[in-house]
Amino acid sequence: MIKISNLSKTFQAKKGTIEALRDVSLEVKKGEIFGVIGYSGAGKSTLIRSVNLLEKPTSGTVSIDGTDITSLSKGELLKARRKIGMIFQGFNLLKTATVYDNIAIPLKLTGVPKEEIDERVNRYLNIVGLADKVDAYPAQLSGGQKQRVAIARALAHEPEVLLSDEATSALDPDTTDAILDLLLKINQELGITILLITHEMHVIQRICDGVAVMENGEIVEQGTTLDVFTSPKHLTTQKFVNSIFNHQLSNDLIDTLRNTGEIISLKFIDHSSQEPALAVVAKKFDVYPNILSGNITQLKSQPFGSLLVHFKGEENEVQKAIHYLQNQGIQTDEVIKHGNNKRIS
Amino acid sequence: MEIINGFLDEWGEYIWEAIIQTFQMVSISLIISIVIGLPLGVLLVLTRPGKSLENKYLFGFLNVVINIIRSIPFIILLFFILPFTKLIVGTTIGVLGVIVPLVVFTAPYIARLMENSLLEVDRGVLEAYEAMGIKTKDIIWNVMVREARPSIVLGLTIATIGLIGATAMAGLVGAGGLGDLAYRFGHLRYEPTVMYVTVGILIILVQGLQSIGNVVAARLKKD
Ligand SMILES: Nc1ncnc2c1ncn2[C@@H]1O[C@H](COP(=O)(O)OP(=O)(O)O)[C@@H](O)[C@H]1O
Ligand SMILES: [Mg+2]
C-alpha cells in the first residue's frame, strides 16, 4: 500500500547540512498498522511527512497504491493527498471553529456536496464517540477529545491510508490507550492502512503489526512486531524493548546475588500449554531459580513475557539450565555473570 | 441646562458637521486601506523565507517600502505626495484630497499589523490543511485569516484610532473634521469650550472604538 524506496532528505541548515533521512526503504502492506520508532531527532517526522510530500525528499520515491506520488503534478498531488489522512501530536484543529465546522470546512473545501457533508460529519463523530460535542469549541475539549476530532476530520475524507505523527505523545497513559484502541478499531472496521511514528514502545506493542527502528536517519532494524520484540538485534532496539520491561535492581541486591549465581533475562512468547520451564529447570539441574522481576505484556498478536531470574548454583549447572531453556525456545541474555558486573541499561 | 442649550445652538451645527467629516474620512480611507493592507500582509507572510510563496526580492521590496512610508510623519506625507494625490483623485483639497494621503499612511500600517496577526496562526493547522489536499488560496482565507480574526480585529482597532489621529491634520488641506474644529476655533479663535468639547468627543470616540474592538475580538476568540 505504501512503498518507500531509497528515500533521502538533506536539510540545509545554518550549521551545515543535516541528513535527516539516509536511503530509507520500507513497505506497509494493505490493512496493516506499521510503526516507526526512534528517539527524538531520528528523522521519523521527516519520513512520515515525506509520504504525503509535506516534506519533499531529496531523492528516492514514495508510492501509494502503486502511484509514485513524488512524480505527480500539483493538481494531482492535491487529489492524492485527499486519500491520505494525517493526524498530529498537536491535533491542529481550528481554534475558532466548532467541532462540526472543524470537520465540515475541509470537506467543503475539497468539494464534497452539502448534503453529504452533514451526513459524514455525523457518521465519523459517532465512530470516534464524540457525537455529543458537535457544537463545542476545541478549547472546551480535553486532549483526547481533540485528537478524536482530528481523527474524525481525517476519516471524513474516507482515506485509504492514515498517517499518524506522534498522535498520542501529548496524551496521558489512559487517554493514549483509548486513542490507540480507536486507531485499532478504525484499522479493523474500516480497513484503513495506518503508518504511525512514535518514540514509545508501548504504542508499537499495543497496535502495530510491523515495526521499523530508526536512528540517525536510517532504519536500523525492521520486521514483525513479534520478531523485533523477541529477538531485538540492534542496541537501540534492545533499549526500546527493555523500556517496556522496567527491570530495576538495586546495586546492593546485585552485589549479593552475583556471589551465588547468575542473573539471566528470559524472553518468551507465552504458550500457556507449555510445561512450566523454570520448575522443570529446578528439578532437572542443581539450580535454584529465583524470579527478581517479571512482566508479561500483551503484543497485538499474542502475550509476550520477560523475566529477570537469578539462578543460584554452580557455574556449569547454571550453563546447563540455560541451554535447556534455550532449547525450549526461550531467549536468554546473561545480565550479570558470576562475580562479574555487566548490566543492562 | 441653559448653558448647554446655548452652546449647542451656537456650536452644535459645526460640531455635527465635523463629526460627519471625520467619520467620512476615517471610514472611506479605512476600507480602502484594508483592501490594500490585508493582501499586503498576507503577501508579507507568504513570501518570507521558508513559506509557500518564498520570494526574497518581493519580500525585501515590500519590507523596505513599508518601512520608508511608515517612517514619514503624516503631516509631512500629506504635502510630500501632493502630486501623487492630484494624479489619483484630481484634487488635493477637501475630503477627497485627504483620502489619498490617509490611505498611503494607513495601508502599510495595516499591512504590518496583519502580518503580525497572521504570523501568530499555528503553523501546524496550516500544515494539516495542506495535508488534506486543500488549495493554498483556500487555506489563506479559511484557515489563516479565519484563525487570525481576533487579532486582526484588535489590529484594525489600533489602525482606526491612528487614522482618527491623522485626520486631525486634514484641516490643513481644508477637509475639516473634529481635529480641525478644535484647532481653528479652540486654538486660533480662543474658544476653549469648543476645544474641550471636541477633545471630549475624540476621547469618547477612541474609548468606544477600543471597547468595541475588545468585545468583538473576545467574541471571535474561542479559547
Ligand atoms: N525544516 C527543517 N530544517 C532543518 N532541519 C530539520 C528540519 N526538519 C527536521 N530537521 C532536522 O532533521 C532531523 C530529523 O528531524 P525529525 O524528522 O523531526 O526527527 P524526529 O521526528 O524523529 O524527532 C533533526 O536533526 C532535525 O533537526
Ligand atoms: Mg517528530
Side-chain angles (χ1 to χ4, degrees):
Chain A
M1 189 75 199
I2 306 174
K3 195 166 176 354
I4 295 170
S5 312
N6 310 102
L7 208 64
S8 295
K9 172 75 186 185
T10 313
F11 287 111
Q12 306 295 338
K14 289 213 179 71
K15 297 154 272 170
T17 58
I18 297 168
E19 284 186 75
L21 295 177
R22 305 169 202 235
D23 199 28
V24 171
S25 297
L26 66 82
E27 187 169 354
V28 183
K29 295 191 202 73
K30 201 172 174 71
E32 189 178 40
I33 303 185
F34 193 95
V36 177
I37 188 165
Y39 293 115
S40 166
K44 309 180 296 291
S45 293
T46 310
L47 176 65
I48 202 164
R49 291 158 53 81
S50 301
V51 175
N52 57 6
L53 248 53
L54 283 180
E55 212 74 76
K56 211 169 153 26
T58 313
S59 66
T61 58
V62 177
S63 75
I64 294 188
D65 217 5
T67 318
D68 175 9
I69 65 153
T70 50
S71 67
L72 296 181
S73 71
K74 231 177 161 182
E76 289 168 330
L77 178 61
L78 285 180
K79 293 227 167 62
R81 278 176 171 164
R82 292 171 192 175
K83 288 289 153 215
I84 310 172
M86 189 167 194
I87 54 175
F88 307 83
Q89 177 171 1
F91 321 124
N92 296 348
L93 301 174
L94 292 175
K95 286 194 199 77
T96 60
T98 59
V99 167
Y100 185 96
D101 283 339
N102 261 292
I103 302 170
I105 290 173
L107 291 176
K108 197 180 91 197
L109 296 178
T110 50
V112 176
K114 235 188 172 123
E115 323 78 63
E116 205 180 327
I117 290 178
D118 198 51
E119 191 215 319
R120 285 205 207 176
V121 172
N122 292 323
R123 181 173 348 136
Y124 291 102
L125 270 182
N126 268 311
I127 288 179
V128 302
L130 272 187
D132 56 329
K133 296 285 184 195
V134 61
D135 292 321
Y137 285 93
Q140 299 162 324
L141 302 178
S142 70
Q145 290 172 328
K146 282 183 209 165
Q147 196 58 283
R148 282 170 195 273
V149 177
I151 292 172
R153 177 177 71 181
L155 294 181
H157 296 268
E158 315 201 313
E160 285 150 22
V161 171
L162 182 68
L163 307 175
S164 162
D165 186 346
E166 305 259 10
T168 57
S169 297
L171 306 174
D172 63 64
D174 284 350
T175 315
T176 294
D177 283 353
I179 296 292
L180 292 178
D181 289 347
L182 176 60
L183 291 179
L184 198 57
K185 175 174 133 179
I186 288 164
N187 169 251
Q188 288 168 346
E189 290 176 13
L190 305 177
I192 295 174
T193 307
I194 300 179
L195 172 61
L196 63 84
I197 65 164
T198 182
H199 64 269
E200 293 171 312
M201 204 55 181
H202 174 76
V203 172
I204 305 287
Q205 169 213 333
R206 205 172 161 107
I207 63 168
C208 290
D209 303 294
V211 58
V213 182
M214 264 192 104
E215 193 169 65
N216 288 327
E218 287 176 313
I219 291 187
V220 294
E221 190 161 351
Q222 67 174 308
T224 65
T225 307
L226 186 63
D227 286 346
V228 170
F229 264 79
T230 46
S231 49
K233 309 227 158 37
H234 194 271
L235 187 67
T236 308
T237 318
Q238 289 166 2
K239 278 189 189 170
F240 275 120
V241 172
N242 285 331
S243 71
I244 290 228
F245 307 105
N246 189 17
H247 301 312
Q248 294 278 0
L249 299 182
S250 74
N251 287 331
D252 280 356
L253 185 62
I254 290 167
D255 282 343
T256 349
L257 291 176
R258 74 159 166 235
N259 293 325
T260 56
E262 282 190 31
I263 300 175
I264 311 282
S265 123
L266 307 177
K267 294 207 178 74
F268 53 93
I269 305 158
D270 185 59
H271 298 296
S272 30
S273 59
Q274 202 177 275
E275 51 185 326
L278 281 183
V280 174
V281 161
K283 262 200 139 148
K284 271 196 157 155
F285 309 99
D286 190 12
V287 293
Y288 298 89
N290 180 19
I291 298 172
L292 303 172
S293 156
N295 206 332
I296 293 180
T297 182
Q298 184 66 37
L299 292 189
K300 188 182 175 187
S301 50
Q302 60 250 84
F304 170 67
S306 167
L307 293 179
L308 206 55
V309 181
H310 178 240
F311 287 91
K312 188 174 161 194
E314 291 300 323
E315 200 166 347
N316 62 334
E317 281 297 308
V318 172
Q319 286 309 320
K320 277 195 242 169
I322 294 173
H323 264 108
Y324 173 81
L325 291 171
Q326 284 170 342
N327 287 336
Q328 298 298 306
I330 294 171
Q331 201 211 334
T332 66
D333 287 300
E334 285 175 341
V335 180
I336 294 171
K337 287 190 173 194
H338 261 292
N340 211 332
N341 198 359
K342 177 193 161 225
R343 292 211 54 188
I344 49 165
S345 51
Chain B
M1 203 62 211
E2 251 165 56
I3 303 176
I4 295 177
N5 278 337
F7 179 81
L8 282 181
D9 277 348
E10 194 178 354
W11 297 103
E13 208 176 309
Y14 291 103
I15 292 174
W16 182 244
E17 195 188 359
I19 291 176
I20 297 292
Q21 286 164 337
T22 296
F23 184 78
Q24 279 178 335
M25 285 187 282
V26 170
S27 55
I28 297 173
S29 28
L30 183 66
I31 289 167
I32 301 174
S33 298
I34 293 173
V35 169
I36 298 172
L38 182 56
L40 279 180
V42 171
L43 218 50
L44 276 171
V45 172
L46 293 183
T47 56
R48 65 178 50 225
K51 293 296 166 75
S52 56
L53 301 178
E54 176 168 352
N55 185 331
K56 243 189 345 220
Y57 303 105
L58 184 56
F59 178 67
F61 174 77
L62 287 177
N63 240 333
V64 168
V65 170
I66 289 173
N67 283 344
I68 289 175
I69 298 177
R70 298 252 305 114
S71 47
I72 306 173
F74 181 68
I75 193 157
I76 296 171
L77 191 75
L78 189 62
F79 295 110
F80 191 69
I81 63 163
L82 277 178
F84 178 70
T85 309
K86 176 108 188 160
L87 186 78
I88 299 281
V89 290
T91 176
T92 57
I93 54 163
V95 170
L96 206 55
V98 85
I99 296 278
V100 174
L102 282 176
V103 167
V104 172
F105 179 69
T106 310
Y109 188 32
I110 288 185
R112 270 279 180 260
L113 290 165
M114 294 304 109
E115 179 193 21
N116 256 316
S117 303
L118 296 173
L119 282 177
E120 283 167 22
V121 175
D122 181 7
R123 220 191 125 73
V125 191
L126 303 176
E127 226 160 40
Y129 274 71
E130 198 185 337
M132 284 188 279
I134 291 165
K135 296 191 193 88
T136 306
K137 96 173 159 21
D138 288 335
I139 295 180
I140 291 170
W141 293 110
N142 293 279
V143 183
M144 243 165 114
V145 174
R146 183 201 168 95
E147 287 285 278
R149 275 182 325 194
S151 166
I152 288 178
V153 166
L154 288 179
L156 290 181
T157 308
I158 296 175
T160 310
I161 291 170
L163 198 49
I164 292 175
T167 60
M169 284 157 255
L172 295 169
V173 291
L178 285 166
D180 181 46
L181 188 74
Y183 177 72
R184 267 191 299 143
F185 293 95
H187 179 71
L188 296 184
R189 292 206 209 154
Y190 204 69
E191 291 278 359
T193 342
V194 178
M195 175 129 86
Y196 295 146
V197 169
T198 331
V199 168
I201 292 173
L202 282 170
I203 290 173
I204 292 168
L205 206 59
V206 169
Q207 287 284 355
L209 263 173
Q210 189 65 60
S211 305
I212 292 171
N214 290 346
V215 168
V216 173
R219 281 264 170 87
L220 290 171
K221 205 171 170 150
K222 302 293 183 182
D223 55 345

